[in-house]
Amino acid sequence: MDTQVTDGFADMHVSEKEPPVQPVNHVGSDKHGTTDQEEESNGKQPITRSKSADFIIPGCHRNKLPGAMLRRDQFSLWTVLKQCIGKELSKITMPVVFNEPMSFLQRMSEYVEHAQLLIKADSTEDPVDRMKYVAAFVLSAGASNLDRLSKPFNPLLGETFELIREDLDLKMVLEQVSHHPPVSAFHCHCPSFEFHGSIYPKLKFWGKSLEIAPKGLLTIKLNKHDETYTWNNPSSCVHNLIVGRLWIEMYGIVNIINHKTGHKCSLDMKQAGWFGKDIHKVEGYISDRRGNKKCKLFGKWVEYLYAMDPDQFDQAQSSEKQERRNSRSVTSSPKPEKGSLPRGYQPIYNWAKVPPQLEEDWCINPDGPEFQHAELLWRNVPRPDNSAQYYNFTLFAMRVNELSESMKKHIAPTDSRLRPDIRHLENADVDSASDEKHRLEEKQRAVRKQRHKSKETWSPVWFYLGSHPHTGDQDIWTYKGGYWDRNYSHCPDIF
């Protein structure tokens, strides 16, 4: 089977130096949810979360992909990546079997799976409460990355993707605005907010692990309050490229700034550390303009986020530590084998299988009874039972590449849903996917060569390059407008 195609990873600096990869331990928390109405009747505070059927994408209803994910037993990712020492990944041939049937533009559209948090933020009067929900949205945007270890297809120059959510009156358009370096820009709007930015994914290969640093400034505007928030995404790392099962973590400091009120939220997404005591953990504070800490945030980026008064949190944390010392003896744990998964690591939470007698624990903070007064801002939703068969996709992800007959009549001819290589891989036809991917890349090279020969300059159709009005950052891609007029006569022929 010929599955070798030229795969354009983002620009990547390769180093032979390997940072320490620590053995880790993770204990998953399985919970199953009640409805907000049930919580109110039980005297519990309603929480803001998505349910698996809450989002409505017109024409998209499927609960599985046409074809299951192919087995990769005969393929070794390390066999390919070991060629990358001292080289850029953009020059390396990759088997298409390591892709997921989705463009990076479509992967970026998953940012808005939990966009109801921004609507909640815009409807809230207290600036600290607004920051709580903005922070919850920022955290939730990475939740779908858990165990998503297949690489999305690199967008072609000029490729676009549109997303409509009727349940939120939300529209989102994305475009690949640059090829070298690869930059993807997006603009999302609904009556409550605007969300826009661009991503340039830079990768570093450390021999045993792959670090992804998504460069780019992201911006939210809450319309009712005329407030602008900005932040940069955290880094990610895929471990065990040589031996063992692949696993992913996200880490780094995320600073969210409200440019109108001066409030700031600093989230510390922790690395797993020795024996995994900090696997997936997030902690941070919301501070006012003078630097006074107004709220403590804590949780796990894969699962939930809580808010609490800082003094109450410190007291609760001290009580919990004392309770642990009193209730159990400290024993040493054997060090996991090199290259193994984090001990106790549960890759995907499936709260739908929790026994009925434990359902009431949904609103119980898993960090201990001392935190019962913490406010639950966001809780992730279960993935479908068949998720592992379909690239560990969420239900939202399974639907973003769905193409109905009505869509074909109005989407742009550059939309990712029309890419034949992605469609073939979605149907589990790897040979056709490889052939089409190669054809598309050769066509793109020929167009680029002709443009260079005629000294033409590429200009994106829907975005232009400018500066950020609040931060002064340059290289900010701004939406021109006009996409939703449905006039696509000036779109390039890329497929």
Side-chain angles (χ1 to χ4, degrees), residues 306-348:
Y306 282 90
M308 200 170 183
D309 176 82
D311 292 335
Q312 290 183 353
F313 176 85
D314 292 340
Q315 294 172 10
Q317 191 175 48
S318 297
S319 299
E320 184 186 47
K321 289 180 179 179
Q322 184 61 44
E323 178 64 24
R324 287 178 179 175
R325 283 193 291 266
N326 295 339
S327 62
R328 71 187 186 196
S329 60
V330 180
T331 58
S332 60
S333 301
K335 184 177 180 179
E337 293 181 6
K338 187 175 182 180
S340 65
L341 274 176
R343 286 190 300 109
Y345 181 80
Q346 298 183 10
I348 294 178

Side-chain angles (χ1 to χ4, degrees), residues 196 217 219 228 230 259 464 466-474 476 478:
H196 55 89
L217 186 70
T219 302
T228 298
T230 60
H259 291 273
Y464 68 91
S467 60
H468 198 283
H470 293 279
T471 67
D473 286 31
Q474 303 299 311
I476 298 297
T478 304

Side-chain angles (χ1 to χ4, degrees), residues 37 69 177 203 222 225 356 382:
Q37 290 78 12
M69 177 179 172
V177 294
L203 288 79
L222 298 183
H225 302 278

